[in-house]
Amino acid sequence: MVAATTSSQLLLSNSRSLSPFQLRVFDSKTLVSCPSNRSNTIKRRHVAGGVRCMAVTASEAETKKSGFEIYTLTSWLLKQELAGVIDAELTIVISSISMACKQIASLVQRASISNLTGVQGAVNVQGEDQKKLDVVSNEVFSNCLRSSGRTGIIASEEEDVPVAVEESFSGNYIVVFDPLDGSSNIDAAVSTGSIFGIYSPNDECLADIGDDSTLDSTKQRCVVNVCQPGSNLLAAGYCMYSSSIIFVLTLGNGVFAFTLDPMYGEFVLTQEKIQIPKAGKIYAFNEGNYQLWDDKLKKYIDDLKDPGPSGKPYSARYIGSLVGDFHRTLLYGGIYGYPRDKKSKNGKLRLLYECAPMSFIVEQAGGKGSDGHQRILDIQPVEIHQRVPLYIGSQEEVEKLEKYLA
């Protein structure tokens, strides 16, 4: 019992800001703590000699969401765990990925200050010049996943072969990732991002690893385990580093977006069950390669530019960063494409690290991912850094393109 310092009327009006599990009921002289539970709230009744606490059902109580209520990625993951959608090990893996994304976001924002712009001087396994941030981001991602103790194998776009994690305590999830997509835009402060996919082990993968004597038995097992079609994905997501830091995630039950709140240093749920529009009037292709495309694709692009009866042609929007272009397409609809051409016979995007995770996300949002002829998630990888053409976005737009390429 605590002495009240203000009037009964004032205290009662302020009691609504309290948690429903800590409701207080007052008379003019005393402050009384009333018991509560999850299913009931409190009804106060004045009786001779004081106040009696009475339980009422939630439907009788006034429910009003607090303006200060936030739902973090951590609490959301715990809720999914309680619902049986994921297990504790996968919760830890995703949390470690979100931590890596926070670190990379900070590095990206301070790239010019920390002298992390420009080329590192090395060339990755795909023959591409590595930016300084590519190397640092890869190290950050790898370290966070190793320290989680729940990953068995990690495979990065920047590494020659997958790596078996010796520090695993429990759980043996396979995590594939592109640590910094669109790093060529870093110096211009354009949107970049990280992409990841999570698999369970699969010892029956039929990947052809050949007779390469440079791969020991451990690395051969890693290659076999990693080479899985996207349909086996347990979870996938990306983090976009732009005006906001946005973490998009699917566990196979819809697509959710979390925005990094710099005040708390936490990802906060901002969009639930994202659905991509069935059609859209935006296309994102690098038309600088137009002359290198086959005639069927040229005809498709030409028709998009034709105003037609509506008088409105499609709008062209191309950032040059898969994460940035995809995120806009996810929200506004339309299509993103990186086709094969005379220079890149199989396109440029990697199946494991980019195409499969993004296709898993877009399908969970009601869209479609295709190589122009078949579903991306049905493609069986035959090598770690396999490239495939990618057309992804609104279902009607992707199906329209497939008809042109048939």
Side-chain angles (χ1 to χ4, degrees):
M1 306 290 278
V2 182
T5 58
T6 57
S7 71
S8 173
Q9 181 179 2
L10 177 60
L11 287 171
L12 286 171
S13 66
N14 286 342
S15 66
R16 291 185 181 180
S17 65
L18 297 170
S19 164
F21 309 113
Q22 296 176 326
L23 288 176
R24 268 75 168 166
V25 186
F26 315 91
D27 61 15
S28 59
K29 295 182 179 180
T30 59
L31 172 62
V32 182
S33 294
C34 295
S36 180
N37 55 47
R38 293 180 181 270
S39 59
N40 296 329
T41 185
I42 301 300
K43 179 187 292 183
R44 54 186 179 274
R45 179 182 175 189
H46 289 272
V47 295
V51 178
R52 177 178 299 170
C53 299
M54 299 175 63
V56 297
T57 62
S59 60
E60 295 178 73
E62 178 185 0
T63 57
K64 186 175 181 180
K65 185 177 180 180
S66 168
F68 298 98
E69 183 179 351
I70 60 173
Y71 205 6
T72 66
L73 174 61
T74 301
S75 58
W76 184 84
L77 286 173
L78 291 173
K79 182 179 179 181
Q80 303 306 306
E81 184 182 332
L82 288 172
V85 177
I86 56 177
D87 59 21
E89 277 71 26
L90 188 53
T91 298
I92 294 172
V93 171
I94 296 173
S95 295
S96 68
I97 291 173
S98 72
M99 176 57 69
C101 291
K102 290 178 188 178
Q103 293 183 47
I104 295 171
S106 178
L107 291 169
V108 168
Q109 291 171 339
R110 292 181 51 82
S112 297
I113 300 170
S114 304
N115 194 30
L116 287 174
T117 55
V119 178
Q120 172 79 7
V123 176
N124 67 14
V125 68
Q126 287 91 38
E128 301 164 332
D129 290 331
Q130 287 183 308
K131 299 288 185 179
K132 294 177 182 177
L133 265 177
D134 282 324
V135 177
V136 176
S137 298
N138 183 63
E139 192 72 16
V140 168
F141 234 98
S142 298
N143 287 342
C144 284
L145 288 170
R146 289 173 187 273
S147 63
S148 74
R150 269 66 181 180
T151 51
I153 299 170
I154 57 176
S156 169
E157 180 189 337
E158 302 298 331
E159 302 285 353
D160 293 351
V161 294
V163 178
V165 180
E166 297 176 357
E167 296 88 347
S168 182
F169 303 116
S170 63
N172 50 359
Y173 289 101
I174 298 170
V175 181
V176 297
F177 59 92
D178 180 354
L180 193 61
D181 172 76
S183 57
S184 59
N185 290 321
I186 283 290
D187 293 4
V190 177
S191 299
T192 54
S194 300
I195 308 170
F196 64 91
I198 304 174
Y199 294 90
S200 58
N202 177 15
D203 293 329
E204 298 178 358
C205 176
L206 301 178
D208 181 13
I209 60 176
D211 298 321
D212 188 352
S213 59
T214 62
L215 293 180
D216 59 26
S217 59
T218 301
K219 290 182 178 179
Q220 287 182 13
R221 181 177 61 80
C222 291
V223 171
V224 170
N225 276 315
V226 168
C227 284
Q228 300 185 49
S231 55
N232 287 359
L233 278 164
L234 299 177
Y238 61 86
C239 188
M240 184 174 71
Y241 313 117
S242 185
S243 57
S244 296
I245 312 302
I246 301 176
F247 188 87
V248 176
L249 175 67
T250 179
L251 304 175
N253 61 347
V255 180
F256 299 80
F258 302 81
T259 302
L260 184 63
D261 187 336
M263 181 182 295
Y264 304 112
E266 293 281 355
F267 283 108
V268 177
L269 180 63
T270 48
Q271 290 174 286
E272 299 181 74
K273 298 286 185 179
I274 298 173
Q275 286 291 302
I276 187 172
K278 291 294 183 184
K281 284 290 186 177
I282 299 175
Y283 72 96
F285 286 70
N286 182 3
E287 293 188 75
N289 294 326
Y290 180 87
Q291 295 299 332
L292 301 177
W293 295 340
D294 62 41
D295 292 337
K296 292 180 178 179
L297 184 59
K298 288 180 181 179
K299 179 66 167 60
Y300 168 75
I301 294 295
D302 291 341
D303 286 352
L304 293 185
K305 296 177 180 179
D306 185 354
S310 68
K312 290 186 177 181
Y314 278 59
S315 297
R317 300 284 188 273
Y318 186 72
I319 299 173
S321 169
L322 173 59
V323 171
D325 281 314
F326 177 83
H327 189 70
R328 182 198 57 248
T329 304
L330 181 67
L331 298 182
Y332 301 155
I335 185 171
Y336 169 88
Y338 206 113
R340 60 167 53 94
D341 56 40
K342 295 177 182 177
K343 184 174 60 176
S344 303
K345 300 297 183 182
N346 295 313
K348 191 177 179 181
L349 300 178
R350 266 68 54 165
L351 174 60
L352 275 175
Y353 311 107
E354 296 163 321
C355 300
M358 289 304 204
S359 294
F360 186 56
I361 294 168
V362 83
E363 286 196 8
Q364 287 297 315
K368 188 171 184 179
S370 170
D371 69 349
H373 302 283
Q374 64 175 321
R375 181 176 177 240
I376 289 290
L377 297 184
D378 289 337
I379 300 176
Q380 171 66 59
V382 294
E383 59 182 74
I384 299 302
H385 299 291
Q386 179 177 341
R387 300 174 190 260
V388 295
L390 177 66
Y391 306 99
I392 193 168
S394 299
Q395 182 175 345
E396 292 181 10
E397 301 302 331
V398 175
E399 290 176 350
K400 177 181 177 181
L401 176 135
E402 287 178 326
K403 292 177 181 177
Y404 274 82
L405 299 183

